Amino acid sequence: MTRELTIKDAINEALHQEMAADDRIVLFGEDIAGGAGRDVSYPPAADAWGGPFGVTKGLLGRFGRERVIDTPIAETGFVGASIGAAVAGLRPVAEIMYVDFIGTSFDQLLNHAAKLRYVYGGKISVPLVIRTVTGAGFRAAAEHSQTLYSLYTHIPGLKVVAPSTPYDAKGLLIAAIRDPDPVIFMEHKRLYMQRGPVPEEPYEVPLGRARIARPGTDVTIVGVQKMVHTALAAAERLQAEGIDAEVIDPRSYSPLDTEAILSSVRRTGRLVVVDESHPRCSLATDIAALAASEAFFELKAPIRQVTAPHAPVPFSPVLEDAYIPSPDRVCDAVHDVMAERR
Amino acid sequence: MPAIDHAEATRLWRLMCRIRRFEDRVHADAEADRLEGYVHTYAGQEAVAAGVIPLLRANDWLTSTYRNHGHAIARGVPLDAIAGELLGKATGVSGGKGGSMHVADQALGMIGAMGIVAGGLPIAAGAAFAARYRSEDRVAVAFFGDGAVHQGAFHEALTFASLFTCPVLFVCENNLYAETTAVDYHLLAGSVVAMAEPYRIAARRVDGMDVLVVRAAAAETLEEMRRDGRPRLIEAMTYRFNGQYEGDTQTYKPPEEVARYRARDPLGLFRAHLSSGGIVDERTLDAIDDEAAGEVASAFVAADAAPWPVAAAVTADVYTGDPVEAERS
Ligand SMILES: Cc1ncc(C[n+]2csc(CCOP(=O)(O)OP(=O)(O)O)c2C)c(N)n1
Ligand SMILES: [Mg+2]
């Protein structure tokens, strides 16, 4: 029996193992330990939090405040400092508590982390990981629910990964930490408690390699992060109707495993892309464009995209439920592409 | 404590009771899993909202944060519109689009309640700029926390406001913590007041648990601002009684600190002052408190019974003039 962990614990374990093996790794973020300034007066406060989701819990106790560093609410400062520390020989892992807050430090990522290597002719490396939390479904409203995958994917020089299983969360994070380039590691808040098998020893899931989450022959469904699970739920229902869907989890958006996606589309001739983000300039449009330009003659039906609307994430439970792509909508899209007979 | 007459005292007391009873209810509902989403309560900080906001004129501007219920109640947003928003109902002040973190009524000059730390400061400065530009006699007030002072937005807003003579009052509610991080750990300047001075913004620190102290300081400050049109900053020393958000275990708070501030509960202090000074008797104070609790209870009854927004509202209001699409059949 393989051991099972949640995604939250898989990430925690990856950080534990990599920090134990490599003392160049330091963590920066707001309340990632918790209780800064209260350790002396009130010892139990140390390590009480581990971030709002408890992902970094226990690291302070093992590695101390020298390496698990609670920062003030100053993202430009600690993201920029992580770039400098990376250039100067450390391996910082910085946490932007919610991806929605990226605006406050985006310049450092967009213009510096992403471009240092290129602008200086390959003479400088930025081995940096930014961990950040994505996703709707938490009733967290417009400023704490975004996904923003494409904002990073758009920028040459940044690598972007977004795991949907505990196995990939651990392996991709380890690969991201060991990678010589800046990697944005996106954690979906609604997937933290997702359980699955995770080997105990450290391992890498290579960046830029997609995963077939479910093999099938009739239609390819590409899911983006949490939407992999939405696609899988849809695939179960479709199976009952005799439609055999293949579900692809790209896991890495930059670099993107174009071959894995294209070879699946060439086999099935039908493509549905499911993305929780807004539809314009999204991973959905990116993947659809890839298939349309590279596999046009193998397609038996127009590509369908199932996305959130071009609107911010609403708070109200009824509105948010209508907002997030559902298995029903995926099934509808699959029915549409299956109806096409060519 | 500065002096206050009976009528004014009962008004302030009623407001503070409304905020506290509202937050008590929210806290209980959150504990019982009856509220969805992130909820940040204002209990413990009532003296700040009650000390500042009733002094504002109807046309003054405000920005708030995710910890906004107290500001909204003090500004006069109806309790059922706030309760409705917290439940995501169509009757909510924003039709359920924003929820607890974004309660603001633009009809009352509340521009917004920003979920991004320090997000409201430059916006308030800009509203004050517009008022000066248009020679309007109005000011803007930005509420924010002690944790916000390391954001670029804080420093850039103070620079903007001072350089371009914007009548904006920056009100820092220093409740000793930014989430779990103690203010004495991160606030290297020693005070928020000290961070305003380099920008040539006159600033003062006040006891934010004493509503009359806050009120006296705010009255004087607002009068100066209306005279010279310049920005000001008030740092109100206060304490949040509940977690950073509902569900926070608060293990970072030393118990003796909690006890010390509970003993200086802003409602308790004001009550003691009013009754011992013979300004308002205990029976009247209790009666007002009970009325406030009743108003809160009926606000939640109304919100519970209110309709949900129609699903088509999801795509309304992204741009000016966007209608709620007719529901597809
Ligand atoms: C730019 C940004 N970074 C981080 C957060 C997450 N966050 C929300 S509230 C908060 C603490 C703010 O503390 P303070 O300003 O003192 O206000 P308080 O909550 O005490 O009222 C943090 C870190 C955020 N909302 N925005
Ligand atoms: Mg604070």
Side-chain angles (χ1 to χ4, degrees):
Chain A
M1 257 290 287
T2 346
R3 178 190 60 148
E4 296 216 326
L5 287 184
T6 60
I7 286 189
K8 174 167 92 80
D9 291 341
I11 292 168
N12 184 276
E13 183 169 279
L15 291 170
H16 265 285
Q17 291 179 344
E18 288 301 286
M19 287 182 78
D22 184 350
D23 65 8
R24 295 172 304 171
I25 299 170
V26 293
L27 309 186
F28 292 107
E30 291 147 14
D31 306 281
I32 55 166
R38 285 291 175 266
D39 297 344
V40 179
S41 62
Y42 188 50
D47 222 2
W49 252 45
F53 297 97
V55 177
T56 45
K57 214 175 171 68
L59 291 160
L60 174 68
R62 179 148 171 216
F63 300 106
R65 288 211 182 266
E66 285 291 300
R67 296 182 67 192
V68 183
I69 299 165
D70 275 349
T71 67
I73 311 171
E75 288 86 358
T76 294
F78 75 79
V79 168
S82 296
I83 298 170
V87 166
L90 299 188
R91 294 259 159 173
V93 179
E95 176 182 299
I96 299 283
M97 193 182 287
Y98 292 79
V99 75
D100 315 69
F101 310 161
I102 194 61
T104 60
S105 65
F106 204 32
D107 173 62
Q108 288 291 330
L109 290 173
L110 160 70
N111 284 315
H112 308 302
K115 296 180 173 55
L116 277 173
R117 161 173 291 279
Y118 184 84
V119 169
Y120 301 103
K123 286 181 293 201
I124 190 167
S125 286
V126 186
L128 162 70
V129 177
I130 303 287
R131 291 182 41 248
T132 188
V133 176
T134 62
F138 236 68
R139 316 307 188 206
E143 298 176 12
H144 289 73
S145 302
Q146 298 171 80
T147 38
L148 306 182
Y149 306 114
S150 58
L151 225 55
Y152 299 98
T153 305
H154 187 67
I155 299 166
L158 298 181
K159 293 179 175 172
V160 182
V161 296
S164 70
T165 66
Y167 180 90
D168 286 347
K170 178 172 172 181
L172 284 171
L173 182 53
I174 290 177
I177 291 172
R178 296 177 184 174
D179 196 88
D181 292 317
V183 181
I184 313 296
F185 186 87
M186 305 179 96
E187 304 167 13
H188 198 294
K189 59 173 87 66
R190 288 288 299 186
L191 290 181
Y192 272 137
M193 301 315 284
Q194 185 86 28
R195 298 186 76 82
V198 179
E200 295 193 25
E201 70 281 2
Y203 59 93
E204 291 186 39
V205 169
L207 309 183
R209 203 81 60 73
R211 171 179 77 95
I212 298 179
R214 181 190 196 280
T217 52
D218 295 334
V219 54
T220 300
I221 311 178
V222 177
V224 178
Q225 201 169 26
K226 178 166 164 269
M227 294 298 109
V228 171
H229 299 282
T230 305
L232 287 170
E236 280 305 304
R237 285 194 219 165
L238 293 163
Q239 188 68 61
E241 306 168 15
I243 298 171
D244 187 22
E246 174 148 299
V247 176
I248 305 272
D249 177 359
R251 333 185 256 204
S252 169
Y253 294 94
S254 189
L256 181 68
D257 190 346
T258 53
E259 258 331 292
I261 295 168
L262 288 172
S263 75
S264 175
V265 172
R266 288 188 178 119
R267 269 187 286 111
T268 63
R270 296 182 161 91
L271 175 62
V272 171
V273 191
V274 194
D275 184 356
E276 187 186 314
S277 297
H278 316 302
R280 298 291 317 280
C281 302
S282 61
L283 293 179
T285 55
D286 190 53
I287 291 165
L290 170 77
S293 17
E294 303 294 325
F296 185 79
F297 293 108
E298 284 100 330
L299 283 170
K300 298 176 189 148
I303 300 161
R304 289 290 312 264
Q305 299 171 42
V306 180
T307 70
H310 186 64
V313 183
F315 163 71
S316 179
V318 295
L319 298 183
E320 193 182 35
D321 289 345
Y323 181 95
I324 302 168
S326 62
D328 278 348
R329 287 183 53 207
V330 177
C331 288
D332 288 349
V334 168
H335 290 145
D336 279 359
V337 300
M338 294 305 294
E340 216 60 58
R341 296 255 168 260
R342 270 182 47 177
Chain B
M1 278 191 179
I4 187 164
D5 67 24
H6 177 88
E8 204 47 54
T10 50
R11 260 200 295 278
L12 279 190
W13 174 249
R14 184 180 301 279
L15 170 56
M16 290 172 76
C17 290
R18 274 196 187 127
I19 299 175
R20 176 63 57 87
R21 296 312 152 218
F22 190 89
E23 297 297 50
D24 283 351
R25 169 65 192 257
V26 165
H27 181 66
D29 280 2
E31 298 259 283
D33 257 340
R34 286 193 299 260
L35 277 182
E36 295 199 72
Y38 292 129
V39 178
H40 306 72
T41 65
Y42 194 72
Q45 304 183 198
E46 291 87 347
V48 187
V52 176
I53 295 174
L55 299 172
L56 300 178
R57 298 178 185 163
N59 67 349
D60 289 336
W61 298 108
L62 261 93
T63 65
S64 176
T65 70
Y66 47 86
R67 199 178 304 289
N68 54 52
H69 306 167
H71 306 138
I73 293 170
R75 192 56 173 168
V77 183
L79 295 182
D80 21 358
I82 305 176
E85 192 60 33
L86 266 55
L87 298 184
K89 295 298 184 76
T91 54
V93 62
S94 308
K97 285 275 184 71
S100 169
M101 284 197 285
H102 305 291
V103 178
D105 189 347
Q106 290 69 27
L108 300 172
M110 285 186 82
I111 295 171
M114 283 66 186
I116 307 299
V117 166
L121 278 75
I123 294 170
F129 177 89
R132 179 178 68 70
Y133 179 87
R134 301 172 64 177
S135 306
E136 293 170 341
D137 184 13
R138 63 207 299 197
V139 302
V141 183
F143 289 93
F144 60 100
D146 45 285
V149 302
H150 305 296
Q151 283 287 315
F154 170 87
H155 295 271
E156 298 178 32
L158 265 64
T159 300
F160 184 102
S162 187
L163 189 58
F164 304 125
T165 317
C166 306
V168 52
L169 175 58
F170 298 107
V171 180
C172 179
E173 301 191 52
N174 185 338
N175 59 11
L176 308 193
Y177 292 96
E179 292 195 335
T180 76
T181 300
V183 73
D184 43 10
Y185 164 77
H186 68 80
L187 193 60
L188 301 178
S191 71
V192 177
V193 165
M195 296 179 88
E197 280 158 359
Y199 298 111
R200 297 195 207 156
I201 292 179
R204 55 162 85 179
R205 192 180 240 201
V206 299
D207 177 0
M209 300 305 255
D210 186 330
V211 66
L212 295 183
V213 167
V214 176
R215 185 179 161 86
E220 208 176 286
T221 303
L222 285 164
E223 199 191 300
E224 291 164 10
M225 288 171 61
R226 293 195 198 276
R227 218 176 24 243
D228 67 15
R230 290 203 43 83
R232 296 286 190 290
L233 184 142
I234 291 176
E235 178 180 13
M237 300 306 296
T238 181
Y239 201 71
R240 76 170 143 71
F241 284 174
N242 296 324
Q244 161 63 23
Y245 47 69
E246 293 305 304
D248 171 11
T249 49
Q250 303 185 71
T251 41
Y252 49 86
K253 283 184 179 171
E256 62 280 4
E257 176 189 277
V258 174
R260 197 161 68 243
Y261 282 96
R262 283 276 180 190
R264 300 201 70 239
D265 184 324
L267 275 76
L269 287 186
F270 193 38
R271 182 189 178 90
H273 175 76
L274 295 179
S275 65
S276 71
I279 303 166
V280 186
D281 64 67
E282 296 263 353
R283 279 221 348 254
T284 310
L285 291 169
D286 284 340
I288 291 172
D289 195 1
D290 290 345
E291 277 168 36
E295 288 169 32
V296 168
S298 25
F300 277 91
V301 169
D304 272 326
W308 295 107
V310 292
V314 167
T315 50
D317 295 320
V318 179
Y319 301 102
T320 306
D322 283 355
V324 175
E325 273 175 41
E327 203 122 35
R328 267 176 261 148
S329 49

